[in-house]
Amino acid sequence: MSNSTRLERMMKPQSIAIVGASETGVRARNAIEAMTRAGRSLHLINRRGETVLGQPTHRSLTSLSGTGVIVDAAMIFTNGAAAIDITAEAAALGVGGVVVNAGGFAEAGTEGQALQEQLIAAAASMPVIGPNCNGIIAPALGLHLAGSPPGLAVREGRIAFVTHSGASMLPMATAGAERKIGFSYLVSTGNEAVVDMAEVIAFLATDESTAAICLLVETVRNPAAFWTAIAAAIAAGKPVLALKNGRSKRGQALARSHTGAVAGEAWAYAAALRQHGVILADDLVELADRAVIFDQVPRSRWTAARGLAILSVSGGWVTMASDICAEEGVDLPEFAELRAAINQSVPEASIVNPLDLTGAAMVDPLVMKGALNTFAGSPAVDTILIQSSLSPALERMTRMFTAPALDLSVCSDKLFLVGSIEGGEISDSMQAYIDGDIAVTRGLRATIRAIRSMADFVRFSVAQPAPIAVAQPLPRSARVIDHPDAGRMLSFAATMALLSEAGVPVAPFAIVEANDTPNPALPFGPPFVVKLADVPHRSDIGAVRLGITRETLAEAIANLRALAGREGESSTIAIQPEYRISSELLVGVDGENDLGPMVVCGLGGVFVEVLRQVSGRLAPFDEREALRLIGDVNRNGVLDGPRGSAAWPRHDLARLLCRIGEFAVGARDWLGSLDINPLALTPDGVCAVDGLIIIKPAR
């Protein structure tokens, strides 16, 4: 049975039971009142058989079943221990699914985790939402399997909101109402003992009432299923937008390598989500702002916004629009070829886009009508934004200015938006525009972000990457060192050998063991770099010597052996040629990331944890995605060869990153982290000068 089929009965129930119904329990009362008000037929379960809110009750699901009722969805408002017994009863009776509101499960520690395991066992194959969740609200269905207040102003619409935080359902619904957008579903998944966010997304991907999916993510518990569900939603033409909670905290404990110290944080989630086509927001308000177009406008009008035209009645407003478009990465073409036509309506206009219609448009509707007709008739224009005030106090003036868009939208396939500058209340009269497939947005930056979100989705859905073959498992080298600080790590020689086998160019090296001659024959000439080979962070103890000649080689080796003795480190020495390095990167793998093995790239050297100019991608990925990763790191042009330095060969670097991604997937069973620091740009090309591999701890 597919996930979408498994959830079908409980998400679209005909028969609903409230277990633990009472007049004193606030949350149960909320659910009963909300669904009674919506005209839903409910079956109330009260173990004492008391009348609740004037309605008769049954003592148990079993006694209800004895009347011939088959329950599609049940909401359990009892304590945790009782909820387990009721869940087992529901599973035995063939109930379509249950929502467990109670807390005190895995979020409460070891004892709660044991209780949650009992709940999982009780559920068998029956879907369970929760525990420790708010529940499910579906306005169009009159479904309120949730403890939220019944007065919650949830507009019916096409946005689904899935959240780990049940309390966030109320503010998200409020934000939607303020923006005149509505919801198909609001679902709180809580602890995800049985049904997780991925399964809900998979259901929504097939749900005809849902046009876009918004997420509030705390932890992705099943990454493979999560990414599969995201891909299914996008393939079905449904954008996925997300807010990641906990961005200010470490995603995991500080690891022992550079890569571990910078990976696993909020940016890792952000990089992975963007990689899979998810649109990101920084808070609930922005999440709602970015979703506006997806709810208010049919899919046929969504555009890539390559031809955005903006019209306003204020020079200051169009200047702000131009600035914010630049800041948000939305292109504003000049449309110079339209100047003559625009001047027919606005003779003094020297700049076509954004266009200042001047105050004349407020008294003469023909000014706006003429400019709109010009933009709508141009094949170069795909999106038209009219800047106005949408305040109820200025309703008459707004209508005079924007009314021509209502008529034109009927006969045009362009996307029209009417957006306010100030982000205040939207007049109820603007509903007529939404009904006419014109988006109504509040706040200039919010409007531009909504346009950018739409454009990003349209472009991503057109250019989704082809599947990449999964690498075969790689055996781990037997040369493992137990380091007191780093844990189990591969030797320097083993690390460099694995990198070479993976197709990564490595700098040549020679190993001098403790009993070897301090002046070995070398296959390369001076000057040399001499270092302690099997030390995780050599710079911390000064374990690297530069500019070594043949004459000073023995002294350098002796000096480092003495240092190793004082520090309690291995005395194995590595010797390499000293390169002229024009710039360097950190490239690595976080093999213990919550979401899967992630390739990390950033500015290298000892400053990686200070500058933190890093980005990453979940492995594996193709060359196009690798180029995007390089673009993230190069946001200030540091890889372009500033001040006459050599530029990094982008495509060579991209192919190298892809090979490291394949290595990461092949080694995922044992690879904790990989650091190549530095990956150096030399006169002979790109090569790995140093490497560190840390093995995953035994589970």
Side-chain angles (χ1 to χ4, degrees):
M1 181 182 293
S2 70
N3 286 345
S4 60
T5 303
R6 184 169 96 132
L7 295 184
E8 192 80 18
R9 281 180 62 196
M10 76 177 305
M11 298 294 278
K12 298 181 178 179
Q14 298 300 311
S15 177
I16 302 168
I18 302 295
V19 185
S22 78
E23 296 190 2
T24 57
V26 175
R27 289 172 293 180
R29 185 183 181 112
N30 286 344
I32 295 167
E33 289 182 348
M35 285 188 281
T36 300
R37 188 177 302 166
R40 293 301 309 242
S41 177
L42 303 177
H43 305 283
L44 306 185
I45 309 298
N46 177 288
R47 63 185 177 85
R48 291 183 293 273
E50 299 170 345
T51 298
V52 175
L53 298 176
Q55 301 185 47
T57 65
H58 295 268
R59 292 183 180 275
S60 67
L61 286 171
T62 300
S63 64
L64 173 62
S65 177
T67 67
V69 172
I70 299 175
V71 176
D72 294 317
M75 182 89 190
I76 301 175
F77 289 106
T78 67
N79 62 43
I84 293 171
D85 293 336
I86 296 165
T87 298
E89 180 186 17
L93 292 171
V95 172
V98 301
V99 178
V100 179
N101 181 260
F105 287 86
E107 82 283 0
T110 304
E111 291 184 6
Q113 180 63 49
L115 205 63
Q116 186 157 307
E117 294 297 330
Q118 294 176 44
L119 179 68
I120 294 169
S125 61
M126 180 185 67
V128 175
I129 300 288
N132 187 35
C133 74
N134 197 342
I136 305 168
I137 297 174
L141 303 178
L143 186 65
H144 194 102
L145 290 175
S148 299
L152 185 64
V154 184
R155 285 172 59 103
E156 179 183 339
R158 307 193 305 152
I159 304 298
F161 178 53
V162 189
T163 172
H164 286 128
S165 166
S168 298
M169 289 169 66
L170 175 59
M172 186 63 173
T174 302
E178 290 172 347
R179 286 155 182 76
K180 297 194 180 300
I181 62 175
F183 298 89
S184 56
Y185 285 94
L186 297 100
V187 183
S188 160
T189 57
N191 290 9
E192 300 186 337
V194 177
V195 173
D196 63 4
M197 184 175 280
E199 187 168 354
V200 178
I201 295 169
F203 164 78
L204 295 169
T206 66
D207 175 52
E208 293 183 357
S209 69
T210 298
I213 302 167
C214 290
L215 309 175
L216 195 164
V217 180
E218 291 179 357
T219 299
V220 174
R221 293 178 171 88
N222 186 345
F226 183 79
W227 301 128
T228 298
I230 295 291
I234 291 174
K238 302 182 182 187
V240 181
L241 305 90
L243 163 62
K244 173 65 177 73
N245 247 1
R247 297 191 307 277
S248 63
K249 298 180 180 179
R250 310 290 281 196
Q252 59 187 34
L254 195 67
R256 290 172 294 270
S257 68
H258 284 300
T259 302
V262 295
E265 297 185 64
W267 71 262
Y269 263 85
L273 289 164
R274 284 197 190 96
Q275 180 182 346
H276 287 83
V278 177
I279 299 160
L280 299 183
D282 288 334
D283 55 42
L284 279 179
V285 170
E286 186 186 338
L287 192 63
D289 284 336
R290 289 184 178 274
V292 168
I293 294 173
F294 302 130
D295 178 63
Q296 294 182 352
V297 178
R299 177 69 177 85
S300 59
R301 288 185 184 260
W302 299 355
T303 78
R306 291 191 170 92
L308 170 63
I310 298 179
L311 304 89
S312 182
V313 292
S314 164
W317 288 8
V318 297
T319 300
M320 283 189 283
S322 181
D323 291 343
I324 291 175
C325 282
E327 292 166 3
E328 297 293 335
V330 174
D331 186 41
L332 276 180
E334 292 185 10
F335 298 135
E337 71 278 9
L338 301 180
R339 180 173 291 118
I342 289 293
N343 287 154
Q344 298 283 329
S345 303
V346 191
E348 63 271 37
S350 58
I351 296 176
V352 173
N353 193 32
L355 177 63
D356 178 9
L357 295 168
T358 74
M362 302 306 299
V363 294
D364 183 0
L366 294 179
V367 175
M368 170 63 84
K369 187 174 182 179
L372 278 179
N373 278 321
T374 298
F375 283 130
S378 169
V381 176
D382 59 12
T383 306
I384 300 172
L385 167 62
I386 302 171
Q387 289 183 300
S388 182
S389 174
L390 305 184
S391 167
L394 301 173
E395 185 174 320
R396 183 174 175 275
M397 183 178 69
T398 300
R399 189 165 56 249
M400 180 186 303
F401 178 52
T402 60
L406 278 172
D407 296 331
L408 192 55
S409 178
V410 174
C411 56
S412 173
D413 60 355
K414 311 288 186 183
L415 171 64
F416 288 81
L417 302 96
V418 177
S420 72
I421 295 293
E422 72 284 355
E425 183 181 359
I426 297 174
S427 168
D428 288 340
S429 67
M430 298 308 296
Q431 186 63 45
Y433 290 76
I434 298 171
D435 294 341
D437 294 339
I438 296 174
V440 176
T441 58
R442 47 183 257 169
L444 178 53
R445 189 176 297 275
T447 299
I448 299 305
R449 285 177 171 173
I451 293 170
R452 171 66 188 269
S453 298
M454 171 195 64
D456 285 348
F457 172 73
V458 171
R459 295 174 190 180
F460 183 88
S461 60
V462 168
Q464 288 193 60
I468 301 171
V470 177
Q472 294 299 310
L474 289 173
R476 193 200 74 202
S477 170
R479 289 173 286 179
V480 176
I481 297 168
D482 285 316
H483 192 276
D485 297 326
R488 302 174 72 230
M489 55 181 270
L490 293 188
S491 68
F492 172 81
T495 296
M496 300 299 272
L498 277 176
L499 290 176
S500 181
E501 291 167 9
V504 177
V506 300
F509 64 91
I511 295 295
V512 181
E513 299 291 358
N515 297 323
D516 291 345
T517 173
N519 209 343
L522 299 171
F524 42 80
F528 305 121
V529 175
V530 184
K531 58 192 177 184
L532 292 179
D534 300 326
V535 175
H537 298 305
R538 300 178 190 88
S539 59
D540 292 350
I541 62 171
V544 181
R545 301 291 182 269
L546 303 176
I548 303 302
T549 65
R550 292 192 185 278
E551 293 74 21
T552 59
L553 181 57
E555 179 184 355
I557 291 174
N559 182 281
L560 286 171
R561 284 173 173 170
L563 175 65
R566 292 193 301 271
E567 297 289 340
E569 298 284 358
S570 166
S571 61
T572 300
I573 303 291
I575 305 173
Q576 294 176 285
E578 184 171 327
Y579 284 109
R580 286 192 297 113
I581 297 175
S582 55
S583 62
E584 55 188 46
L585 293 174
L586 159 76
V587 175
V589 175
D590 176 15
E592 297 189 86
N593 187 280
D594 292 344
L595 304 175
M598 173 168 280
V599 175
V600 176
C601 183
L603 300 186
V606 297
F607 298 110
V608 61
E609 293 176 27
V610 177
L611 298 177
R612 308 186 71 75
Q613 191 161 320
V614 293
S615 191
R617 293 297 186 275
L618 293 179
F621 47 83
D622 60 15
E623 186 174 341
R624 182 178 59 182
E625 196 62 49
L627 288 168
R628 291 195 186 103
L629 170 54
I630 295 167
D632 291 348
V633 177
N634 193 41
R635 56 183 179 266
N636 56 7
V638 70
L639 305 184
D640 296 334
R643 296 194 176 186
S645 61
W648 282 79
R650 296 291 187 89
H651 289 278
D652 289 349
L653 179 57
R655 286 188 287 271
L656 185 149
L657 291 171
C658 290
R659 288 193 288 271
I660 292 173
E662 293 166 3
F663 169 77
V665 174
R668 67 185 308 161
D669 289 341
W670 55 266
L671 179 64
S673 67
L674 161 68
D675 284 350
I676 302 173
N677 189 23
L679 181 74
L681 179 59
T682 77
D684 298 326
V686 176
C687 73
V689 174
D690 202 358
L692 171 65
I693 287 178
I694 294 182
I695 308 299
K696 280 183 179 179
R699 298 295 181 186

